[in-house]
Amino acid sequence: MILVTGGAGYVGSHCVLELLKNAYDVLIFDNLSTGHIETVKTLKKFGNVEFIKGDLLDEKLIMNAVSGRNIDAVLHFAAYSQVGESVVNPQKYYINNVCGTLNLLKAILENDVKKIVFSSTAATYGNPKYVPIDENHPQEPINTYGRTKLFIEKIMDDYDKAYGLKSVRLRYFNVAGANSDGKIGEWHDPETHLIPNILKSTFGNRKTFEMFGDDYETKDGTCVRDYINVEDLAKAHFLALKYLENGGNTDFFNLGTKEGNTVKEVFSVCEQVVGKSIAVDIKPRRDGDTTILVADNTKAKKVLGWSPEKSLHDCIETAYNWEKILANKNPQK
């Protein structure tokens, strides 16, 4: 059985679905602060899924959850992830992300679980010194969210040396898209990600989409980001798990497409997918937005045998189909 913390959330749920497709039994541990019980109910239709509503800050609860079952490995997604919020409320992020992870690691070590795949982030790199960003790039995060993820990576290094805990840290860039069959998708409130916000602006009485900054030194003046499809991301987590099961050592990998798209390019593909023009209002730059963030995924291809397969158009098409499903779930929104 695989323990998936945060398995009711966006990325976690897609990884649970990938595990179920590969005949794994799954235990989801999630406090539902950003995940959804409806997602768990959907996942249960496709395989053996147990669910415990719980918080990693409840040391006794996570200990009981692990000790009461035969856990083989962990996929760890549970974390707060809003960059802006992390800056104005760092205590919330340090306590939840770091202390929660320490409780999880204590529980699995006491139950002889020695394999964990950790959801890390490109935010551990900070402002890029060069692009595409490879795993040798300095890790100098510029916000609290990125620092919490980096601290956890360092903790895992220490735990490997001291206790033999083998970890794979997957540092991903901009995740996009939804399940191809419309089973699950991105479901945040409030939503902060670019693609769903562009698409949401096309429903009902939504306000005009706001684009921040068109004076960057790029081909069209807008920021460049590396958009990785969430189903491709889920396959990477599965391959990371297999890597550990086959005796792989602690390691870390960037997950991205090695190709960047500007905000205007993303906007244009959104218009193609929805079949109409989308109202947009150009705003000044936001503080802290980096001009270009693109991943070098060579290491993941070489070591894990992973390659992204889906295009930006695929991401936006599945995201739009999911937004239509969400609109029917929540017609008032």
Side-chain angles (χ1 to χ4, degrees), residues 185-204:
E186 188 166 9
W187 189 357
H188 297 129
D189 187 16
E191 182 57 69
T192 61
H193 293 161
L194 175 68
I195 289 172
N197 273 331
I198 295 174
L199 298 174
K200 285 178 187 295
S201 73
T202 68
F203 289 90

Side-chain angles (χ1 to χ4, degrees), residues 246-261:
N246 292 327
N249 289 320
T250 291
D251 213 336
F252 39 83
F253 302 92
N254 288 346
L255 297 181
T257 65
K258 209 173 183 177
E259 297 178 5
N261 292 99

Side-chain angles (χ1 to χ4, degrees), residues 71-283:
I71 304 297
D72 299 303
V74 180
L75 271 60
H76 179 30
F77 300 94
Y80 292 137
S81 60
Q82 301 301 322
V83 170
E85 182 187 46
S86 79
V87 174
V88 298
N89 193 1
Q91 178 174 257
K92 175 181 178 180
Y93 277 67
Y94 284 119
I95 290 175
N96 183 80
N97 293 6
V98 180
C99 296
T101 298
L102 288 170
N103 287 341
L104 171 66
L105 297 182
K106 181 179 180 181
I108 66 175
L109 287 175
E110 290 196 11
N111 288 277
D112 202 34
V113 181
K114 296 293 182 72
K115 297 183 286 290
I116 184 168
V117 179
F118 174 54
S119 168
S120 191
T121 172
T124 64
Y125 292 120
N127 290 322
K129 292 176 169 50
Y130 56 84
V131 289
I133 297 171
D134 59 23
E135 289 82 358
N136 295 319
H137 190 286
Q139 288 181 288
E140 299 172 353
I142 59 173
N143 55 64
T144 304
Y145 166 65
R147 277 189 281 273
T148 65
K149 293 287 189 173
L150 180 56
F151 288 166
I152 294 166
E153 287 200 24
K154 298 301 184 184
I155 288 167
M156 289 181 175
D157 282 335
D158 290 340
Y159 278 41
D160 181 8
K161 293 173 186 175
Y163 312 121
L165 175 67
K166 300 303 178 186
S167 65
V168 170
R169 286 89 73 146
L170 299 176
R171 302 169 184 161
Y172 25 98
F173 285 61
N174 290 64
V175 188
N179 172 258
S180 298
D181 299 323
K183 297 183 180 79
I184 53 176
E186 188 166 9
W187 189 357
H188 297 129
D189 187 16
E191 182 57 69
T192 61
H193 293 161
L194 175 68
I195 289 172
N197 273 331
I198 295 174
L199 298 174
K200 285 178 187 295
S201 73
T202 68
F203 289 90
N205 296 318
R206 289 282 181 171
K207 63 182 181 180
T208 300
F209 176 74
E210 295 179 340
M211 187 181 297
F212 294 94
D214 63 351
D215 58 348
Y216 289 91
E217 293 182 6
T218 60
K219 56 186 173 183
D220 62 20
T222 60
C223 293
V224 174
R225 295 293 182 266
D226 189 337
Y227 294 92
I228 175 175
N229 180 272
V230 70
E231 290 183 304
D232 284 339
L233 193 68
K235 289 178 182 176
H237 285 77
F238 169 70
L239 291 172
L241 175 62
K242 299 303 291 186
Y243 165 84
L244 290 176
E245 289 179 342
N246 292 327
N249 289 320
T250 291
D251 213 336
F252 39 83
F253 302 92
N254 288 346
L255 297 181
T257 65
K258 209 173 183 177
E259 297 178 5
N261 292 99
T262 68
V263 175
K264 285 184 177 178
E265 286 175 334
V266 172
F267 193 83
S268 176
V269 177
C270 286
E271 290 186 320
Q272 293 172 28
V273 168
V274 303
K276 61 182 179 182
S277 60
I278 301 172
V280 61
D281 185 14
I282 305 295
K283 297 287 189 179

